[in-house]
């Protein structure tokens, strides 16, 4: 069976001219395409997107930065108003954390020193919150729904307090989980009585006490790789 080609070629001089014209057009199009592709490939890649505005870069941990932060927090701890036994426990824990930070700085453990300083600052805030009740009485009243949500989060965080205290390696840290639970119970009582300011401040004291324990535990852990020391930035 003979298969007929679907291609037809013109004959004669006229057909030859048409073939030459088509060949020239094809060659010209190929040259233009190659030039365009070459120009695209030779271009520089687009620049990386700029960092999100309004979000500063994470601070670099070095001796001067850590020592400056340490002295700032130490001054704030020394200015804590005298209070009852709860305040004394928290101020003592803050001073212990700052002394530990100073020792870690001498061995160039800047990450551990930074975590100890953050822990001391958290204990300082925990000691100050209840004293702010009188000062805040003239401010906006905290919302009951927000306090209830905060109390729920603190309740679950309390389950971690004992672990953080044990992981910190500080024998005096054992007094802090019971203190965090006491603050939580005081917040619940104030909430049930409708004392929103007291409920809010006691909940914050419980939360900050646990946060201080958490940072002490991080300070006692092996130093993480540099890429894990700071939270990733949001795009």
């Amino acid at each position: 069976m003979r298969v007929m080609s679907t291609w037809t070629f013109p004959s004669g001089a006229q057909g030859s001219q048409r073939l030459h014209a088509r060949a020239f057009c094809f060659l010209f199009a190929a040259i233009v395409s190659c030039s365009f592709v070459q120009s695209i490939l030779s271009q520089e890649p687009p620049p990386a997107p700029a960092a999100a505005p309004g979000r500063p870069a994470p601070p670099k941990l070095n001796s001067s930065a850590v020592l400056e932060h340490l002295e700032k927090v130490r001054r704030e701890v020394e200015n804590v108003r005298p209070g009852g036994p709860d305040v004394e426990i928290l101020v003592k824990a803050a001073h212990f954390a700052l002394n530990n930070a100073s020792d870690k700085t001498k061995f160039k453990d800047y990450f551990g020193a930074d975590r100890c300083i953050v822990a001391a600052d958290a204990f300082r805030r925990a000691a100050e919150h209840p004293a702010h009740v009188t000062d805040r009485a003239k401010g906006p009243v905290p919302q009951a729904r927000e306090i209830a949500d905060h109390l729920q989060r603190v309740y679950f965080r309390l389950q971690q307090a004992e672990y953080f205290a044990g992981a910190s390696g500080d024998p005096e840290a054992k007094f802090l989980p019971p203190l965090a639970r006491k603050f939580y119970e005081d917040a619940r009582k104030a909430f049930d009585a409708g004392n929103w300011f007291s409920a809010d401040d006691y909940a914050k004291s419980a939360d900050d006490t646990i946060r201080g324990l958490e940072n002490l535990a991080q300070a006692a852990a092996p130093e993480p790789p540099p890429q894990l020391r700071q939270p990733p930035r949001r795009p």
Side-chain angles (χ1 to χ4, degrees), residues 151-168:
L151 284 172
Q152 186 177 28
R153 293 194 300 271
V154 171
Y155 172 78
F156 288 108
R157 290 273 287 165
L158 280 171
Q159 317 310 314
Q160 302 172 306
E162 293 286 353
Y163 169 78
F164 291 146
S168 69

Side-chain angles (χ1 to χ4, degrees), residues 9 21-22 48 53 61 64 86 91 96 125-126 131 138 147 174 182 187 194 198 200 213 222:
F9 298 93
R22 291 179 180 177
L61 296 178
S64 59
D86 297 343
V91 170
F96 180 87
R125 290 195 306 271
K138 299 179 182 179
I147 300 173
K174 64 183 179 181
K182 178 180 180 297
S198 296
D200 186 45
L213 284 168

Side-chain angles (χ1 to χ4, degrees), residues 108-189:
K108 297 184 178 181
D109 180 8
Y110 300 131
F111 173 79
D114 179 73
R115 293 299 89 194
C116 286
I117 297 170
V118 174
D121 196 35
F123 295 143
R124 188 266 308 172
R125 290 195 306 271
E128 289 184 337
H129 286 308
H132 291 164
V133 175
T134 304
D135 300 337
R136 294 180 57 195
K138 299 179 182 179
V141 179
Q143 298 298 313
R145 181 71 263 176
E146 295 178 0
I147 300 173
D149 291 342
H150 192 191
L151 284 172
Q152 186 177 28
R153 293 194 300 271
V154 171
Y155 172 78
F156 288 108
R157 290 273 287 165
L158 280 171
Q159 317 310 314
Q160 302 172 306
E162 293 286 353
Y163 169 78
F164 291 146
S168 69
D170 175 15
E172 298 296 324
K174 64 183 179 181
F175 298 108
L176 295 173
L179 183 57
R181 284 193 294 272
K182 178 180 180 297
F183 285 140
Y184 171 78
E185 294 298 333
D186 290 341
R188 284 295 307 271
K189 293 176 183 177

Side-chain angles (χ1 to χ4, degrees), residues 14-166:
Q14 185 177 4
S16 178
Q17 291 176 358
R18 291 180 180 177
L19 286 175
H20 283 96
R22 291 179 180 177
F24 175 78
C25 291
F26 177 79
L27 181 61
F28 179 77
I31 294 174
V32 171
S33 299
C34 291
S35 300
F36 177 75
V37 171
Q38 185 176 5
S39 65
I40 293 295
L41 295 176
S42 63
Q43 291 179 359
E44 293 292 332
R55 187 179 178 89
K60 183 178 180 181
L61 296 178
N62 52 46
S63 177
S64 59
V66 170
L67 288 175
E68 181 179 353
H69 190 195
L70 188 152
E71 293 305 318
K72 175 179 179 293
V73 174
R74 190 185 297 278
R75 289 192 299 270
E76 293 174 345
V77 170
E78 291 174 352
N79 290 330
V80 173
R81 300 178 189 177
D86 297 343
V87 174
E88 293 180 4
I89 292 174
L90 289 166
V91 170
K92 182 178 179 181
H95 280 299
F96 180 87
L98 291 173
N99 293 336
N100 198 11
S102 181
D103 293 338
K104 288 181 178 294
T105 303
K106 296 175 184 178
F107 293 97
K108 297 184 178 181
D109 180 8
Y110 300 131
F111 173 79
D114 179 73
R115 293 299 89 194
C116 286
I117 297 170
V118 174
D121 196 35
F123 295 143
R124 188 266 308 172
R125 290 195 306 271
E128 289 184 337
H129 286 308
H132 291 164
V133 175
T134 304
D135 300 337
R136 294 180 57 195
K138 299 179 182 179
V141 179
Q143 298 298 313
R145 181 71 263 176
E146 295 178 0
I147 300 173
D149 291 342
H150 192 191
L151 284 172
Q152 186 177 28
R153 293 194 300 271
V154 171
Y155 172 78
F156 288 108
R157 290 273 287 165
L158 280 171
Q159 317 310 314
Q160 302 172 306
E162 293 286 353
Y163 169 78
F164 291 146

